[in-house]
Amino acid sequence: EAEVAQSPRYKITEKSQAVAFWCDPISGHATLYWYRQILGQGPELLVQFQDESVVDDSQLPKDRFSAERLKGVDSTLKIQPAELGDSAMYLCATSMRSRRGEQYFGPGTRLTVT
Amino acid sequence: GDSVTQMEGPVTLSEEAFLTINCTYTATGYPSLFWYVQYPGEGLQLLLKATKADDKGSNKGFEATYRKETTSFHLEKGSVQVSDSAVYFCALATGGGNKLTFGTGTQLKVEL
């Protein structure tokens, strides 16, 4: 069964450093999402791509976060500089264009900022 | 804006007990409703869904009915197993896009 791949699974970084996460979607899934999940809470959408275009980044802290999906396939989420409050699980999910709300999630990247 | 409210956990049950996890929502328009499950160390997985009022979603012995009059989508299972121990998230999607709004999650622990 096809899966969403994410790397790294765990990342520890010092505050003010740069960090990047990578996501490889299920083949053919046009829509890609990055979520942030703080411990004990539900995932919150950071950015949504349709193919290579951003369709929703209203909750992305653009002063320090950036995301790209070159060629509409895999995607990178970057934080620069990292802050202590960025410690969380970062989840990537993908979906087919026609399946409302049905998303396939990767295992996530657990970020700890020290 | 759209929101989802779930009962707080953890919920601790003995094996073969009956499970109910409450979920209510606030949304504009006509949302689709979902339950996702997150097993330890894994990503979220879609458990079941319902797209219109009075629909019942079901999977793996779990079921939930879309109740528009009470704006609810409670998750139930007649007999839980230890392997059902996980965090359960209620979610909704509105509009033409696929954006999901999640509740805070309810942790379920099933003991022998």
Side-chain angles (χ1 to χ4, degrees):
Chain A
E1 183 176 309
E3 296 180 342
V4 176
Q6 289 189 248
S7 65
R9 293 292 306 273
Y10 304 92
K11 180 70 178 179
I12 300 174
T13 191
E14 294 183 347
K15 64 179 182 178
S16 79
Q17 296 299 303
V19 63
F21 314 127
W22 177 78
C23 174
D24 189 13
I26 294 172
S27 178
H29 282 199
T31 313
L32 185 147
Y33 315 79
W34 283 102
Y35 290 89
R36 178 169 57 189
Q37 184 180 19
I38 297 171
L39 191 64
Q41 299 183 20
E44 293 183 310
L45 181 69
L46 292 174
V47 61
Q48 177 181 345
F49 290 91
Q50 187 67 38
D51 299 308
E52 68 277 6
S53 301
V54 173
V55 297
D56 186 349
D57 63 356
S58 57
Q59 300 303 310
L60 188 70
K62 299 181 188 63
D63 57 335
R64 298 185 299 107
F65 285 65
S66 63
E68 61 181 14
R69 192 184 184 196
L70 301 177
K71 301 181 181 178
V73 182
D74 57 339
S75 177
T76 303
L77 178 69
K78 297 178 181 178
I79 308 175
Q80 181 175 18
E83 297 181 352
L84 294 177
D86 296 332
S87 295
M89 178 75 84
Y90 290 84
L91 298 169
C92 178
T94 68
S95 69
M96 291 186 283
R97 209 182 297 261
S98 59
R99 306 299 289 269
R100 187 196 206 195
E102 291 187 31
Q103 298 181 13
Y104 294 79
F105 284 79
T109 297
R110 168 73 67 187
L111 173 66
T112 301
V113 182
T114 63
Chain B
D2 298 342
S3 66
V4 176
T5 302
Q6 291 181 234
M7 63 187 288
E8 290 193 14
V11 173
T12 303
L13 295 174
S14 299
E15 199 169 47
E16 300 184 359
F18 184 84
L19 168 71
T20 300
I21 299 178
N22 291 335
C23 170
T24 57
Y25 67 89
T26 302
T28 54
Y30 301 95
S32 295
L33 302 174
F34 305 84
W35 278 100
Y36 277 80
V37 59
Q38 187 173 31
Y39 297 103
E42 299 183 15
L44 280 74
Q45 303 173 24
L46 178 62
L47 180 59
L48 53 84
K49 69 172 186 177
T51 58
K52 61 182 186 297
D54 300 324
D55 268 2
K56 177 184 284 188
S58 61
N59 186 26
K60 298 181 181 180
F62 291 89
E63 60 182 33
T65 301
Y66 189 143
R67 301 289 188 195
K68 186 178 178 182
E69 64 277 11
T70 54
T71 62
S72 64
F73 193 55
H74 305 322
L75 182 68
E76 296 181 336
K77 187 176 185 183
S79 176
V80 295
Q81 306 300 311
V82 172
S83 58
D84 293 326
S85 297
V87 181
Y88 293 81
F89 292 92
C90 186
L92 63 82
T94 58
N98 286 329
K99 179 180 177 179
L100 284 169
T101 299
F102 286 91
T104 55
T106 302
Q107 185 176 15
L108 171 66
K109 298 180 181 179
V110 181
E111 302 173 334
L112 291 172

